[in-house]
Amino acid sequence: MRLALFLLLLATVVAHAAPQRIVSLAPHLTELAFTAGAGERIVATVEYSNHPDAARNIPRIGDAFRVDLERLVELRPDAVLVWESGNPAPMLERIRALHLPVVAFRTQRIEHVATALREIGRLAGTSEIAERAAADYERRIQELRDLYRDRAPLRVFIEVDDRPLYTVNGKQIISEIVELCGGRNVFADLNELAPAISIEAVIAANPQAIICTDDTVPDAAASWERWRHIEAVRTGNVYTLRSDDIARATTRLTVAAESVCRTLDTARQRLRAAGQR
């Protein structure tokens, strides 16, 4: 009887300890909170939080780089979800100085998605929901690894902006997806996470496929047409993919990875048809 009463009291304490007023300061953290079963507790978020549809109705207090601190304090959050490598450090310092309960997440690699889901689940007391989502995500990623691990390697240029020309290095999540599919990021060894590069550097790397994101490069094939001495351009291997899927560290990365893998398989076929392999 005493044990049962103790467990009941413990459950009550845990339930009260779970945050009921959450603020998310990154679109992908908002999405992950919904996936982990805590979306209904989000009282404010930032611009571009558009997944799932319910997230579109949450009040905005800024974006990933600027937040209305006065409004944030007025909301009386008992958890502020922040993106460790994305939200500016000075902004996070100001939020912490307000003595608000900041919970930081590192979401730079594919495996970080499952980790973040489980952390949000523990925080919100929704671990059962979060664990199911995390396990399903890990299973689907592993299935893709197994399916594409023996594909012929391809030199791939990843374009995330064209004015100026920007790419990503090997530590960025898009690059990891390309690698999962048998691609090799031609700028993986650069030090910066998202470095600016020259067209001359791309020509020297001579990628066999070019993958662009649709939010900054609307017509990638047309923009690269003049550089036909690049193998990817000459063989018609310039592709545009949905940045909303491929650039956000959420469970939708499985959809992005499937798309990238199919795209690189198409590139391999075109290379073979052109006598390049």
Side-chain angles (χ1 to χ4, degrees), residues 120-228:
I120 294 173
R122 283 193 291 271
L123 174 72
T126 58
S127 287
E128 186 175 345
I129 297 171
E131 179 57 36
R132 283 200 302 268
D136 181 66
Y137 169 81
E138 290 173 329
R139 176 186 57 78
R140 294 176 67 186
I141 289 293
Q142 188 58 49
E143 287 174 351
L144 288 170
R145 288 191 193 279
D146 294 341
L147 183 60
Y148 289 93
R149 70 169 71 250
D150 296 325
R151 293 294 201 273
L154 287 177
R155 299 188 307 275
V156 180
F157 170 54
I158 303 166
E159 181 182 6
V160 295
D161 206 347
D162 60 348
R163 297 181 183 179
L165 195 59
Y166 272 88
T167 188
V168 295
N169 71 4
K171 295 180 180 179
Q172 213 275 348
I173 206 163
I174 302 176
S175 181
E176 191 180 5
I177 290 174
V178 166
E179 184 177 345
L180 179 151
C181 299
R184 301 293 181 267
N185 178 1
V186 294
F187 294 110
D189 294 335
L190 295 183
N191 292 326
E192 291 181 63
L193 193 64
I197 56 168
S198 66
I199 186 64
E200 291 78 13
V202 180
I203 293 171
N206 193 26
Q208 295 166 299
I210 296 175
I211 291 178
C212 309
T213 53
D214 65 353
D215 60 341
T216 54
V217 191
D219 191 349
S223 69
W224 284 98
E225 181 61 29
R226 61 181 293 196
W227 309 105
R228 294 194 60 80

Side-chain angles (χ1 to χ4, degrees), residues 1-13:
M1 181 67 179
R2 289 181 179 177
L3 178 59
L5 180 59
F6 171 76
L7 292 175
L8 178 60
L9 290 172
L10 179 61
T12 302
V13 170

Side-chain angles (χ1 to χ4, degrees), residues 20-27 29-30 33-34 39-47 49 55 57-62 67-68 71-77 79-81:
Q20 301 301 308
R21 297 181 60 80
I22 297 173
V23 172
S24 168
L25 298 186
L29 294 178
T30 302
F34 273 93
E40 292 182 355
R41 304 185 202 175
I42 300 177
V43 295
T45 185
V46 290
E47 295 296 335
S49 294
N57 300 321
I58 299 173
R60 269 56 173 161
I61 59 169
V67 170
D68 184 338
R71 179 67 181 133
L72 178 60
V73 172
E74 289 174 353
L75 287 166
R76 295 178 291 105
V80 181
L81 312 186

